[in-house]
Amino acid sequence: MALSVREYRARIKSTESMKKITRAMELIAASRIIKAQQRAQAAAPYARELTRAVSAVATFSNVDHALTTEPEDPKRAAVLVVTSDRGLAGAYSSSVLKEAERLVEKLKSEGKDVDLYVSGRKGEAYFKFRQRAVVQAWTGFSDQPTYDVAAEIGATLIEAFLGETGTDEVAVDEVHVVYTRFRSMLSQEPTAVRLLPLEVVEGTEAPEKDDLLPLYEFEPSPSEVLDSLLPRYVQSRIFFALLQAAASELAARQKAMKSATDNADELIKKYTRIANQARQAGITQEISEIVGGVNALADANAGSE
């Protein structure tokens, strides 16, 4: 049944109110994403130089460190999934969760048990709804992560890897992180990276052929240098992942809110057009009824004569 003009006007009013909200959220995300990009760019040089230092120690020393030793028969893996705390960001969280599910299936197909660690309320709710155990979750900072949080997450994962949790839980043999890498305002890519045992990489890009590692003198010893550097390296990688995820979340939210605002504009135009058509139809019907009444009255008067 066709709606009345009043009902269409009510829909137009509610859509206009929603449009104001989505437009405001779009502007807020746009204002925050610049700072998020700057933070990610500022953290990159530190992560790069720390990577070079770790690479040099691992390359030019013969120390077998727990964080760099490949297990002969890995049976257990930990997966950190970085999601958002809030929604209204399009497919941001669902995309990274799908990537995490693919990684979990791959690890299980290799005969490994998987322990889940989650950053962000969306990921926590996702696994809770499916009644899947989460070892530990961190929430409340997805769009503005701090290094303290990254250090806490890194320390927890290192303890799980080394079996120093203080519980009866079995130590994990691998640690993976799944996050969304920020490519551009229009492109954010879900990415899975193995953190432990350490796979030393040169920043986010492949090293140049002539990019030689610096030579270091290890004081007091390579083993103690690794003990100090490797935890910081893991924490810096996690912090960089959190910063990348924060920028990706804000970009996805801005894009989603712009799309919602555009859709609201289209709905307002549609409802306005339909309301005008309904109004014109009502006016035409009223005129037809008046003309019909006049004709009937004229016919009645002619018949009485």
Side-chain angles (χ1 to χ4, degrees):
M1 185 175 67
L3 299 178
S4 65
V5 175
R6 180 178 299 178
E7 289 172 321
Y8 277 118
R9 287 175 177 171
R11 289 192 176 189
I12 292 171
K13 186 176 181 180
S14 64
T15 306
E16 286 177 342
S17 299
M18 185 61 67
K19 175 186 171 182
K20 292 179 182 178
I21 296 173
T22 56
R23 177 60 176 166
M25 295 185 68
E26 176 190 349
L27 295 176
I28 291 172
S31 65
R32 290 181 176 177
I33 192 173
I34 297 175
K35 184 176 180 180
Q37 285 181 273
Q38 292 174 344
R39 293 185 68 197
Q41 292 172 355
Y46 173 79
R48 186 180 305 112
E49 292 306 315
L50 186 56
T51 299
R52 287 168 60 82
V54 172
S55 299
V57 179
T59 301
F60 298 115
S61 67
N62 296 321
V63 177
D64 291 329
H65 196 277
L67 297 184
T68 60
T69 302
E70 290 280 351
E72 294 182 1
D73 187 20
K75 292 295 184 181
R76 198 174 194 88
V79 177
L80 171 65
V81 186
V82 182
T83 63
S84 65
D85 286 316
R86 297 183 293 124
L88 300 177
Y92 168 76
S93 291
S94 62
S95 296
V96 73
L97 287 169
K98 287 179 182 178
E99 182 67 26
E101 291 286 18
R102 283 193 289 268
L103 174 61
V104 170
E105 289 299 322
K106 177 177 178 293
L107 293 172
K108 287 184 177 179
S109 68
E110 296 172 355
K112 302 171 186 174
D113 295 326
V114 177
D115 292 342
L116 291 170
Y117 295 79
V118 178
S119 171
R121 292 189 180 94
K122 287 296 179 181
E124 184 181 23
Y126 174 87
F127 292 113
K128 182 178 180 181
F129 178 78
R130 287 158 178 78
Q131 298 181 348
R132 294 166 63 179
V134 173
V135 178
Q136 191 166 345
W138 296 267
T139 60
F141 57 85
S142 66
D143 57 348
Q144 292 182 331
T146 63
Y147 189 83
D148 290 339
V149 173
E152 179 184 346
I153 296 174
T156 301
L157 294 176
I158 290 174
E159 288 176 359
F161 184 76
L162 298 177
E164 299 174 350
T165 58
T167 66
D168 295 333
E169 293 183 3
V170 179
V172 299
D173 301 308
E174 297 177 359
V175 176
H176 302 259
V177 58
V178 184
Y179 68 100
T180 306
R181 177 174 294 177
F182 181 85
R183 296 292 189 185
S184 68
M185 287 295 296
L186 300 177
S187 175
Q188 299 86 44
E189 177 187 355
T191 305
V193 178
R194 197 186 83 170
L195 289 182
L196 298 173
L198 206 61
E199 289 182 331
V200 178
V201 296
E202 183 66 25
T204 58
E205 298 179 354
E208 298 292 338
K209 292 182 179 180
D210 57 349
D211 188 12
L212 301 178
L213 292 174
L215 295 177
Y216 292 98
E217 292 184 359
F218 307 128
E219 179 67 32
S221 68
S223 178
E224 294 182 13
V225 171
L226 283 175
D227 286 339
S228 178
L229 278 183
L230 288 177
R232 287 176 171 78
Y233 172 78
V234 173
Q235 292 165 4
S236 71
R237 291 288 302 276
I238 293 175
F239 184 50
F240 186 74
L242 293 177
L243 292 176
Q244 289 278 308
S248 299
E249 177 186 347
L250 291 170
R253 180 166 292 114
Q254 181 190 9
K255 184 165 59 175
M257 291 300 98
K258 184 180 186 306
S259 178
T261 302
D262 294 341
N263 290 337
D265 279 330
E266 293 298 322
L267 275 178
I268 291 171
K269 292 177 182 178
K270 176 182 176 181
Y271 288 147
T272 301
R273 183 176 63 254
I274 296 175
N276 289 337
Q277 291 174 350
R279 178 171 171 271
Q280 291 169 0
I283 293 173
T284 302
Q285 183 178 356
E286 290 175 1
I287 293 174
S288 298
E289 291 173 354
I290 293 172
V291 171
V294 170
N295 290 336
L297 183 60
D299 292 340
N301 290 335
S304 62
E305 294 178 357

